[in-house]
Amino acid sequence: MSSEQKPMRYGHTEGHTDVCFDDTGSCIVTCGSDGDVRIWENLDDDDPKSINVGEKAYSCALKNGRLITAVSNNTVQIHTFPEGAPDGILTRFTTNANHVIFNCDGTKIAAGSSDFMVKVVEVTDSSKQKTFRGHDAPVLSLSFDPRDVYLASASCDGSVRVWKIADQTCTTSWPLLQKCNDVINAKSICRLGWQPGSGKFLAIPVDKVVKLYKRETWDSQFNLSDTFITQPLNVVAWSPCGQYLAAGSVDGSIVVWNVETQECIERMKHEKNYTICGLAWHPKYRQIAYTDTEGNLGLLENVGDGKKPNDKVASTVTKDYNDLFDGEDGDYLNGDMIEPQSSPKAGANEDDGDDDDLMRTSGHPRRAIIDDDDNSLDIGMIKANANLLEKEDDDDDQTDGFPALPPSSTQQPFYDGPMPTPKQKPFQSGSTPAHLMHRFMVWNSVGIIRCYNDEQDNAIDIEFHDTSIHHATHLPNSLNHTMADLSTEAILLACESTEELASKLHCIHFSSWDANKEWTVDMPKDEDIEAICLGQGWAACATSALLVRVFTVGGVQKEIFSLPGPVVSMAGHGEQLMIIYHRGTGFDGDQCLGVQLMELGKKKKQILHGDPLSLTKKSYLVWVGFSAEGTPCYVDSEGIVRMLNRGLGNTWIPVCNTREHCKGKLDHYWVVGIHENPQQLRCIPCKGSRFPPTLPRPAVAILSFKLPYCQVTTEKGQMEEQYWRSVVFHNHVDYLSKNGYELDENANSQSVKEQQELLMKLFALSCKLEREFRCVELADLMTQNVVNLAIKYASRSRKLNLAQRLSEMAVEKASELATALEDEEEEEDFRKHLNAGYRNSAMEWGQLPVRNVQWDQEMEDAEETDACEEAEETSEVHKQRPNPFSKGVTSAEATTPKPAVIASSSQGRVNPFKVSSNKRDPVVPSVNVLDTMSKYSKKTLSSNRAVNKQNPPVIKPLIPKPKSKQASAASFFQPRTSNSSEKTVEEREENTGNESHDVKVTAQENTENRRPKTGFQMWLEENRANILTDNPDLNEAEVIKEGMSRFRMLSSEERMVWTEKAKGGTVNDLTEDKKRKCPAADEDEVKKNQEQKSEDSNLSKKPKPLDQSTNVRLSAFAFKQS
């Protein structure tokens, strides 16, 4: 190459040095950290003129005989040139300015400072200032748009912004750079530049490439890169003609490209590999002046001479319609497909050789359309537009020399569809950004890990919230760990790879019982750890090779599996592992994330198979983890906290919006933990930022949860929100109990009670508003005994239609409960009892539907027989003949819908050897219906009432005749018996004398006599002989009757004594212990029954008998947990 590199000159003391030419190019001007500005006639000038402008000069610019400098007293000064006389101060900042520039005509200057501000000031009147606020870190560099419409700025916050000067608004922002906290720590000072003349492209040095963004559309058009560049680029500078772009890197490389062809025409290396920090083109000649961070000045002459276009006309034409193409011609026409510029093909065009061949070597001229002004039209443009519609063939077949153009003017973009969103980088939940010197590596419910990385120390501090787990620890951070996680068993750390060292996973297993508590694993070459997490007994890391590696907490390598996309974050809790990764590319500011949830216990399984993760529009993920109870949760950048709702098929439900609690627009809450019981969102309030500083120690605030239900200001909306929140926040109870955890029954029953209370309040509210249909819908969510309360409420409110419907519902609920429990029991005990003579064919495994059909049939039969039974409505004392071959004896009590009336029907001795499939009354929810069945063989179970020897197998009980609908409801209460399909029915003998009254009285006085042995039964056993001696010819039933009348004659104290005896448990019946819980429920039923009677008699104007049957119907569902 013909360029000539001159030996460098020492210009200033070591430190950042800036350089520029004067307007004519007659001298070079430099400034440095010694506070001097030097004016060099040429590079050989041994005595440059020197002007002292301050203690330290950071940047200088020169135009129209004015020299402006940014100096260490936080001002931007102006001096006359070349005299160097001070000419006032243009503007001040609170810290030093890092870069100053002139606009094209020299009327305005722009300065960017370390106090995050950018100012634009009129040179002639410094009172005319505009301030641009928005950067969150020191401003690195600026560039004026040659048309004076826009201003570009780069900052340590990692963003490059384009501002509209007129209204001081930010037009666009790209997160391109690595974040840092000060200019001295920045990897690159990112001196950017607009293309002179048209301002069509904005060139930004990003790592090892120069990205060119197109004006107005702000799309990344193409990248300029070269293999010669091995370190990040620091500065770029355009040639005055706008054809060439020079870039200097932090290791002293200078590269020059022809922007049109995207080819590199010049490569030069600094003689001592110092960082290039200043570049300036000579206004007339092909010379580049450059400076380095050691204060030296150099010059490159005859740049790109070998590549200079020899034909002058060609060069003007090229310049004139430079605006019309963007080096992407080959991509516009691909067969007959027009491809958007942001498509992968158009984006991945670092060195698109085909483009250049198409344009030049194939002999096609560039698009020779002269761009006089934006409104001009010419025949070529019209033809080109027509081409788009007509031409189906390839570029090479065109004879008129016009490649097809998009039907748009120079200012309008060809593709203006949705733009891809830059992918979110991996992060650890509860950590603050890695570029900070002092940062949190993790803050979770176990403890806090801080990292200090400053001049004195590179160390990690670990502190536990509960010091009984482990004491605080201080570790050196020689490997430069950037990721950490903490559990009650271990500390997990990870570092990225360097040129010499592999990426490492380091675990300190402090809960280990042996002496060796630490282990380290090296990742394979070129595989970097990007996210880590700890669970119970395991650790996991996700790597850049799209792998997740699982280890035991002691260091054994376990499963490895592939991820469908790059990881974003991961979290562990107990056996659960949750991984969030990129499912694809999001558009228009949205991220496109997926979530996998796995269980790594004994049975390994995947719960969520890469389902899309719901995020608020234009937001990204900021925290992912588990509640203390083990429910997956995550938070997005808009402050919405979402939780997995296991009760609705593993869907995500928003449970809190932290932004509602923020006072200012720029305030945020930084989440550190979530608890479901009590409901607490633990987070740190951050004023004006997204994350807290390490010092002073931040205070944790507790926010409450609120589901986004409608109209929560109204009583109804508020109670609905509370009810569903309670439901969602107690889903973990079922999950944990399924997974074998012991649970606090009190807390659980408390939550159920709270939910039922809310439903009852809503029910009452709907009742008041005459919304009876809504009442029934609410009752559907209630438990059985609360439905009963609702029936009571409805009948008190004189809503008998509603009470009627609710009682039907109660019956259904009872039958569902019974069915569910029986099915469960049958499945559990099927194999145990297969040969126990316990079931016949109709009860066999898998034949449930048959049974149900048969059961329905029985109900219908029962209804048919009702008609003849009205006379027996109140008589419930059953005398039954013994059937010694009965396999399943069902006591009278279970088969009748009037619990209070039956109470005394079952007296007599218990036969402990009778085979019985005695199923409990499904109506009593407080006791597991199957308690009596599960642990003992069915053969040995006795009937749970004291059934005397005259019980036949009762299959179709005769039911007192209520209204026809109610009959079917009541028959839901009939237990199924375990006889075969061909059932024999022996009708009961009924005694319809005046005993029924007696029975009732006894029942009321003697609420205990439903126990296997009640006080009355015990009394009868002792006094049976006396009765028989007085009346030797009485049969069993008559003995009982006589006994009753005698028992009633006893004083209430004596009766109480017998009752107490019975309570004392003097009976050692086999089933006694198992059935302890029943009577209390029965007492309640009796009491309720009485209350109901009195209410109904007040309410109803119907004749007494009907009144009673309504009452009985309602009371049949009045169950209450004991």
Side-chain angles (χ1 to χ4, degrees):
M1 295 199 171
S2 54
S3 69
E4 191 185 327
Q5 184 179 350
K6 295 216 168 178
M8 297 191 74
R9 296 289 308 265
Y10 172 76
H12 300 269
T13 55
E14 78 175 65
H16 178 81
T17 315
D18 206 2
V19 62
C20 60
F21 281 94
D22 75 333
D23 297 341
T24 57
S26 57
C27 54
I28 303 169
V29 179
T30 59
C31 72
S33 51
D34 48 12
D36 289 339
V37 171
R38 296 208 163 85
I39 303 166
W40 310 73
E41 300 282 324
N42 53 42
L43 201 63
D44 303 326
D45 186 353
D46 288 332
D47 187 19
K49 181 177 179 181
S50 187
I51 308 165
N52 185 268
V53 292
E55 256 182 59
K56 209 171 183 179
Y58 293 99
S59 176
C60 63
L62 178 59
K63 219 179 200 87
N64 303 347
R66 291 190 180 92
L67 171 70
I68 52 167
T69 50
V71 284
S72 52
N73 62 358
N74 306 346
T75 60
V76 174
Q77 309 178 75
I78 190 163
H79 288 75
T80 56
F81 184 85
E83 298 80 25
D87 198 11
I89 288 172
L90 275 179
T91 186
R92 292 176 184 277
F93 293 96
T94 53
T95 61
N96 58 283
N98 297 313
H99 194 203
V100 288
I101 49 162
F102 269 109
N103 67 346
C104 260
D105 54 9
T107 54
K108 296 190 191 96
I109 66 112
S113 154
S114 286
D115 64 3
F116 313 178
M117 300 283 191
V118 176
K119 290 185 182 177
V120 172
V121 188
E122 299 265 343
V123 175
T124 49
D125 179 2
S126 62
S127 63
K128 291 183 179 168
Q129 292 196 6
K130 285 184 174 171
T131 306
F132 299 80
R133 292 181 171 84
H135 281 299
D136 300 327
V139 179
L140 291 167
S141 69
L142 302 166
S143 178
F144 260 117
D145 162 26
R147 297 191 192 174
D148 259 5
V149 179
Y150 298 112
L151 173 72
S153 63
S155 159
C156 292
D157 64 12
S159 69
V160 174
R161 289 173 179 247
V162 176
W163 310 84
K164 202 163 191 172
I165 299 170
D167 52 8
Q168 292 162 253
T169 55
C170 176
T171 307
T172 187
S173 171
W174 303 284
L176 296 174
L177 314 175
Q178 192 161 353
K179 293 184 182 180
C180 56
N181 52 2
D182 203 359
V183 182
I184 51 166
N185 297 326
K187 284 202 171 172
S188 154
I189 56 170
C190 191
R191 291 275 192 265
L192 30 79
W194 291 90
Q195 186 174 23
S198 64
K200 181 186 177 188
F201 290 127
L202 172 61
I204 307 170
V206 179
D207 203 31
K208 303 182 187 66
V209 298
V210 178
K211 284 186 175 291
L212 277 89
Y213 284 86
K214 192 175 179 182
R215 183 196 185 84
E216 303 293 354
T217 68
W218 314 119
D219 304 343
S220 172
Q221 290 296 304
F222 53 91
N223 296 344
L224 297 173
S225 60
D226 193 74
T227 49
F228 185 66
I229 304 166
T230 56
Q231 290 291 310
L233 295 171
N234 216 25
V235 287
V236 297
W238 288 89
S239 64
C241 66
Q243 245 185 303
Y244 303 110
L245 184 69
S249 78
V250 296
D251 66 346
S253 310
I254 294 179
V255 177
V256 182
W257 290 274
N258 179 332
V259 176
E260 212 178 289
T261 62
Q262 297 180 30
E263 62 184 313
C264 179
I265 57 166
E266 208 60 82
R267 296 182 182 90
M268 188 285 289
K269 192 79 172 160
H270 186 294
E271 55 197 41
K272 288 188 176 163
N273 293 356
Y274 291 156
T275 298
I276 306 287
C277 56
L279 277 182
W281 286 79
H282 193 287
K284 294 177 184 162
Y285 307 131
R286 302 193 168 277
Q287 291 181 355
I288 298 175
Y290 59 96
T291 49
D292 61 33
T293 51
E294 298 294 320
N296 302 311
L297 168 69
L299 191 66
L300 209 62
E301 295 186 324
N302 304 328
V303 176
D305 268 4
K307 297 272 175 185
K308 210 177 358 178
N310 12 6
D311 184 349
K312 200 164 186 213
V313 182
S315 80
T316 48
V317 169
T318 313
K319 246 174 96 177
D320 273 337
Y321 49 80
N322 208 9
D323 289 0
L324 273 179
F325 66 89
D326 51 4
E328 292 301 295
D329 311 45
D331 284 340
Y332 278 143
L333 252 192
N334 184 2
D336 57 352
M337 182 180 83
I338 296 171
E339 188 153 349
Q341 290 170 6
S342 72
S343 71
K345 181 174 175 192
N349 45 20
E350 315 289 81
D351 291 310
D352 204 340
D354 304 350
D355 277 8
D356 299 329
D357 296 347
L358 259 175
M359 294 307 103
R360 231 139 266 99
T361 54
S362 61
H364 290 313
R366 279 281 184 188
R367 301 171 179 156
I369 299 168
I370 310 302
D371 182 23
D372 298 332
D373 62 66
D374 283 355
N375 302 319
S376 64
L377 266 178
D378 73 329
I379 203 83
M381 181 65 97
I382 294 165
K383 268 190 182 175
N385 289 351
N387 268 353
L388 261 184
L389 307 171
E390 293 163 16
K391 280 271 186 195
E392 298 270 304
D393 49 18
D394 230 324
D395 233 1
D396 294 334
D397 301 327
Q398 295 175 357
T399 48
D400 56 0
F402 290 104
L405 266 178
S408 61
S409 79
T410 51
Q411 288 307 308
Q412 282 177 316
F414 167 59
Y415 171 71
D416 57 357
M419 296 307 296
T421 311
K423 285 184 177 174
Q424 179 178 353
K425 293 201 163 64
F427 69 92
Q428 283 297 113
S429 286
S431 69
T432 53
H435 65 266
L436 300 172
M437 286 182 179
H438 293 193
R439 61 180 285 247
F440 291 112
M441 293 179 84
V442 69
W443 182 321
N444 62 18
S445 51
V446 179
I448 305 169
I449 301 184
R450 290 188 194 78
C451 177
Y452 301 98
N453 185 6
D454 44 31
E455 289 77 51
Q456 297 90 36
D457 202 7
N458 188 351
I460 291 172
D461 273 347
I462 299 145
E463 160 193 332
F464 291 83
H465 300 316
D466 178 358
T467 48
S468 65
I469 295 173
H470 197 261
H471 56 79
T473 309
H474 181 85
L475 305 170
N477 189 12
S478 51
L479 287 170
N480 199 17
H481 290 298
T482 53
M483 291 160 267
D485 199 10
L486 181 62
S487 75
T488 51
E489 300 178 307
I491 298 158
L492 192 63
L493 301 165
C495 61
E496 293 169 349
S497 60
T498 59
E499 283 174 5
E500 302 84 44
L501 296 171
S503 179
K504 294 176 191 293
L505 186 69
H506 180 64
C507 180
I508 302 162
H509 181 204
F510 55 78
S511 67
S512 166
W513 44 264
D514 68 1
N516 297 324
K517 297 190 186 305
E518 298 191 28
W519 53 270
T520 306
V521 172
D522 284 12
M523 294 297 120
K525 192 177 183 316
D526 299 331
E527 190 174 324
D528 268 344
I529 296 174
E530 295 188 325
I532 59 174
C533 71
L534 279 166
Q536 198 174 352
W538 56 269
C541 67
T543 69
S544 55
L546 303 190
L547 289 177
V548 174
R549 299 172 176 274
V550 183
F551 301 83
T552 63
V553 76
V556 179
Q557 295 192 56
K558 291 187 79 187
E559 293 81 7
I560 297 180
F561 57 93
S562 286
L563 277 180
V567 72
V568 177
S569 193
M570 58 200 292
H573 181 279
E575 296 172 349
Q576 301 178 83
L577 165 64
M578 176 161 56
I579 308 159
I580 313 281
Y581 60 87
H582 288 287
R583 245 176 357 113
T585 302
F587 285 88
D588 283 345
D590 294 333
Q591 295 288 333
C592 178
L593 306 181
V595 55
Q596 281 189 0
L597 178 61
M598 316 185 64
E599 287 182 4
L600 303 174
K602 290 269 187 289
K603 289 180 183 168
K604 296 182 173 48
K605 57 176 186 264
Q606 199 166 342
I607 310 298
L608 296 176
H609 302 257
D611 303 10
L613 194 74
S614 346
L615 291 172
T616 314
K617 260 195 177 326
K618 298 198 186 317
S619 72
Y620 52 90
L621 191 68
V622 294
W623 186 89
V624 57
F626 290 84
S627 70
E629 289 76 12
T631 307
C633 308
Y634 64 93
V635 185
D636 64 29
S637 54
E638 290 299 308
I640 305 291
V641 183
R642 290 181 180 81
M643 181 181 270
L644 190 72
N645 184 357
R646 300 191 203 265
L648 189 63
N650 290 337
T651 48
W652 297 97
I653 180 168
V655 291
C656 181
N657 180 359
T658 60
R659 301 288 294 141
E660 284 179 359
H661 301 266
C662 295
K663 292 189 177 74
K665 261 190 182 169
L666 296 171
D667 298 350
H668 293 86
Y669 278 97
W670 194 68
V671 175
V672 294
I674 292 176
H675 293 257
E676 292 176 77
N677 192 16
Q679 293 177 19
Q680 289 182 348
L681 178 63
R682 302 171 67 79
C683 43
I684 293 167
C686 305
K687 228 174 166 38
S689 76
R690 285 199 169 271
F691 51 84
T694 51
L695 290 169
R697 185 195 173 92
V700 176
I702 289 175
L703 300 185
S704 55
F705 293 102
K706 187 169 124 195
L707 272 47
Y709 275 83
C710 305
Q711 294 179 311
V712 285
T713 47
T714 64
E715 201 184 351
K716 172 178 174 281
Q718 191 181 355
M719 289 193 290
E720 284 166 338
E721 189 274 335
Q722 286 174 343
Y723 171 75
W724 287 111
R725 176 151 47 88
S726 177
V727 170
V728 169
F729 279 80
H730 286 91
N731 280 337
H732 68 269
V733 175
D734 293 344
Y735 173 76
L736 292 176
S737 57
K738 271 187 200 140
N739 285 317
Y741 287 87
E742 283 182 12
L743 287 172
D744 176 8
E745 284 303 323
N746 292 348
N748 195 16
S749 57
Q750 190 58 40
S751 70
V752 173
K753 187 178 165 203
E754 170 193 319
Q755 290 163 22
Q756 297 301 320
E757 273 173 16
L758 286 162
L759 286 175
M760 201 59 220
K761 284 181 193 166
L762 278 165
F763 180 88
L765 188 68
S766 304
C767 251
K768 274 183 203 151
L769 300 172
E770 302 285 329
R771 298 230 174 232
E772 297 193 9
F773 190 87
R774 187 183 289 167
C775 289
V776 176
E777 289 175 321
L778 286 164
D780 199 34
L781 299 168
M782 295 175 183
T783 55
Q784 235 178 345
N785 41 348
V786 181
V787 172
N788 188 58
L789 203 61
I791 295 172
K792 210 175 200 178
Y793 188 94
S795 49
R796 272 190 186 155
S797 312
R798 300 176 184 270
K799 296 191 174 9
L800 292 176
N801 181 23
L802 176 59
Q804 166 79 18
R805 288 180 183 279
L806 292 179
S807 54
E808 286 164 24
M809 179 184 287
V811 178
E812 280 176 45
K813 277 185 181 290
S815 69
E816 278 165 23
L817 182 71
T819 313
L821 289 167
E822 284 189 17
D823 290 355
E824 200 180 289
E825 176 64 21
E826 282 170 18
E827 294 195 17
E828 276 177 24
D829 287 352
F830 173 58
R831 286 183 179 78
K832 256 193 249 173
H833 298 296
L834 198 57
N835 306 319
Y838 160 57
R839 282 190 180 81
N840 277 347
S841 57
M843 292 291 268
E844 296 292 6
W845 192 273
Q847 293 191 343
L848 305 179
V850 179
R851 222 170 354 131
N852 291 346
V853 170
Q854 171 196 330
W855 193 32
D856 297 343
Q857 187 60 49
E858 289 169 29
M859 279 161 38
E860 284 168 31
D861 295 356
E863 279 179 44
E864 287 163 25
T865 53
D866 281 345
C868 357
E869 294 300 334
E870 273 178 343
E872 299 169 4
E873 183 164 325
T874 51
S875 166
E876 290 293 337
V877 183
H878 309 314
K879 287 158 278 176
Q880 297 166 332
R881 293 196 189 84
N883 177 352
F885 306 111
S886 157
K887 229 178 236 157
V889 177
T890 311
S891 84
E893 174 202 328
T895 63
T896 159
K898 292 205 249 168
V901 179
I902 314 149
S904 62
S905 67
S906 46
Q907 298 130 359
R909 289 206 171 79
V910 175
N911 176 354
F913 302 101
K914 179 162 284 195
V915 178
S916 151
S917 68
N918 169 30
K919 298 202 174 76
R920 270 285 177 90
D921 187 343
V923 177
V924 184
S926 61
V927 182
N928 182 344
V929 175
L930 299 159
D931 274 356
T932 54
M933 302 161 75
S934 47
K935 275 132 188 142
Y936 298 95
S937 155
K938 296 285 179 292
K939 282 181 182 164
T940 59
L941 269 181
S942 71
S943 162
N944 77 338
R945 282 124 200 122
V947 183
N948 56 13
K949 297 188 169 74
Q950 297 158 323
N951 284 0
V954 180
I955 292 149
K956 292 195 235 170
L958 302 173
I959 296 149
K961 171 76 173 160
K963 290 172 191 159
S964 59
K965 253 189 195 171
Q966 191 55 34
S968 70
S971 58
F972 266 95
F973 284 82
Q974 313 319 321
R976 294 179 244 170
T977 55
S978 44
N979 290 11
S980 67
S981 326
E982 309 153 19
K983 293 194 178 232
T984 57
V985 179
E986 290 192 32
E987 297 297 328
R988 289 179 305 204
E989 291 180 10
E990 298 285 353
N991 214 24
T992 54
N994 59 353
E995 307 96 37
S996 61
H997 178 66
D998 304 352
V999 175
K1000 268 188 197 157
V1001 180
T1002 313
Q1004 287 164 12
E1005 289 175 348
N1006 226 351
T1007 53
E1008 283 298 324
N1009 53 6
R1010 242 168 150 196
R1011 216 177 247 284
K1013 284 262 174 62
T1014 60
F1016 169 68
Q1017 283 173 288
M1018 294 181 78
W1019 178 87
L1020 186 64
E1021 277 179 21
E1022 293 210 6
N1023 292 280
R1024 183 187 294 270
N1026 303 345
I1027 296 170
L1028 282 169
T1029 48
D1030 294 352
N1031 309 292
D1033 53 343
L1034 292 183
N1035 68 16
E1036 181 65 26
E1038 286 161 343
V1039 169
I1040 292 167
K1041 249 184 296 172
E1042 177 63 27
M1044 268 182 204
S1045 50
R1046 292 195 186 188
F1047 187 68
R1048 266 203 307 281
M1049 287 176 206
L1050 300 175
S1051 69
S1052 56
E1053 289 83 2
E1054 287 177 284
R1055 284 203 298 270
M1056 278 308 293
V1057 170
W1058 283 104
T1059 307
E1060 288 305 319
K1061 264 193 200 172
K1063 274 188 184 160
T1066 53
V1067 191
N1068 52 3
D1069 180 7
L1070 173 65
T1071 54
E1072 179 68 5
D1073 300 334
K1074 306 222 124 204
K1075 294 167 185 153
R1076 268 295 142 77
K1077 294 178 188 158
C1078 218
D1082 299 341
E1083 284 175 55
D1084 290 339
E1085 287 173 22
V1086 175
K1087 280 180 201 150
K1088 276 200 186 159
N1089 196 13
Q1090 291 161 9
E1091 286 170 33
Q1092 198 83 31
K1093 273 184 198 162
S1094 58
E1095 276 160 34
D1096 284 11
S1097 56
N1098 298 341
L1099 286 171
S1100 162
K1101 295 177 182 138
K1102 294 174 191 168
K1104 185 92 175 146
L1106 193 65
D1107 189 302
Q1108 270 184 344
S1109 78
T1110 312
N1111 146 39
V1112 168
R1113 275 211 303 285
L1114 290 174
S1115 69
F1117 314 110
F1119 335 118
K1120 192 171 173 195
Q1121 292 197 345
S1122 53

